[in-house]
Amino acid sequence: KSEEEKMADYLKYVSSESYQSTKLNASLHQLQDTNGLAEKDKMFINFKKRVALEPEQVVRFQPGGEPLLISECLCPKDIPCCEVCGKKRQFEFQIMPQLLYYLKVDSSSSPDGKTIDWGTLLIYTCSENCNIRTGYQEEFLWKQDLT
């Protein structure tokens, strides 16, 4: 099979209800700490449940899909159109907060207490995959913090 066919098969598999159900049931015992969260924290609970399925995942790739948001606050709005062709941008992938762990980012070890931090980073790309000749194209990144 071609790489595109393999990717299509993989995306279909991880989107299947049986895969999600199996992984979710296996990970529910890890989520006991979320039981006391308020009703308003449903999105955060959903985020934690999904992250528990693949706790080492640092990039979540789902072109044209929906991002996994960490909070109802500060949701992405007004995503700018592609600067090359003017078409709408779509969600393509996100960088998960687990990457901070692997990068060994720790504000307590910084002398001034400053560090990088995020809830999730969302990357939006041209929905038309417009053809540019310069090699790279600037896309849109949206940072969602925990609060």
Side-chain angles (χ1 to χ4, degrees), residues 29-63:
H29 69 278
Q30 298 173 4
L31 301 175
Q32 296 303 318
D33 60 334
T34 62
N35 286 342
L37 293 177
E39 186 71 20
K40 68 179 183 174
D41 295 326
K42 280 185 175 183
M43 190 169 283
F44 181 69
I45 292 169
N46 181 55
F47 183 87
K48 284 191 61 109
K49 285 180 180 179
R50 292 288 301 273
V51 167
L53 297 174
E54 297 292 340
E56 296 179 358
Q57 181 182 37
V58 295
V59 176
R60 185 173 169 271
F61 183 72
Q62 192 177 23

Side-chain angles (χ1 to χ4, degrees), residues 9-140:
D9 289 346
Y10 170 75
L11 292 173
K12 184 178 177 183
Y13 170 69
V14 296
S15 298
S16 71
E17 286 186 37
S18 62
Y19 173 81
Q20 297 298 332
S21 176
T22 301
K23 294 290 283 182
L24 184 59
N25 289 335
S27 300
L28 283 177
H29 69 278
Q30 298 173 4
L31 301 175
Q32 296 303 318
D33 60 334
T34 62
N35 286 342
L37 293 177
E39 186 71 20
K40 68 179 183 174
D41 295 326
K42 280 185 175 183
M43 190 169 283
F44 181 69
I45 292 169
N46 181 55
F47 183 87
K48 284 191 61 109
K49 285 180 180 179
R50 292 288 301 273
V51 167
L53 297 174
E54 297 292 340
E56 296 179 358
Q57 181 182 37
V58 295
V59 176
R60 185 173 169 271
F61 183 72
Q62 192 177 23
E66 292 294 322
L68 180 59
L69 300 174
I70 199 165
S71 170
E72 291 179 11
C73 303
L74 306 170
C75 293
K77 298 176 185 146
D78 302 325
I79 305 300
C81 292
C82 175
E83 294 174 357
V84 175
C85 71
K87 301 290 183 181
K88 186 176 179 179
R89 283 194 170 110
Q90 67 181 8
F91 171 73
E92 183 153 336
F93 70 96
Q94 70 190 98
I95 301 172
M96 306 299 284
Q98 294 85 302
L99 181 60
L100 295 168
Y101 169 78
Y102 293 106
L103 293 174
K104 298 184 181 356
V105 173
D106 182 6
S107 62
S108 64
S109 64
S110 174
D112 59 4
K114 294 181 181 178
T115 186
I116 58 173
D117 193 18
W118 64 77
T120 188
L121 301 174
L122 310 177
I123 292 73
Y124 290 82
T125 61
C126 178
S127 61
E128 297 295 317
N129 293 320
C130 58
N131 187 9
I132 59 170
R133 296 172 193 214
T134 58
Y136 295 100
Q137 176 166 331
E138 185 174 324
E139 299 296 357
F140 181 76

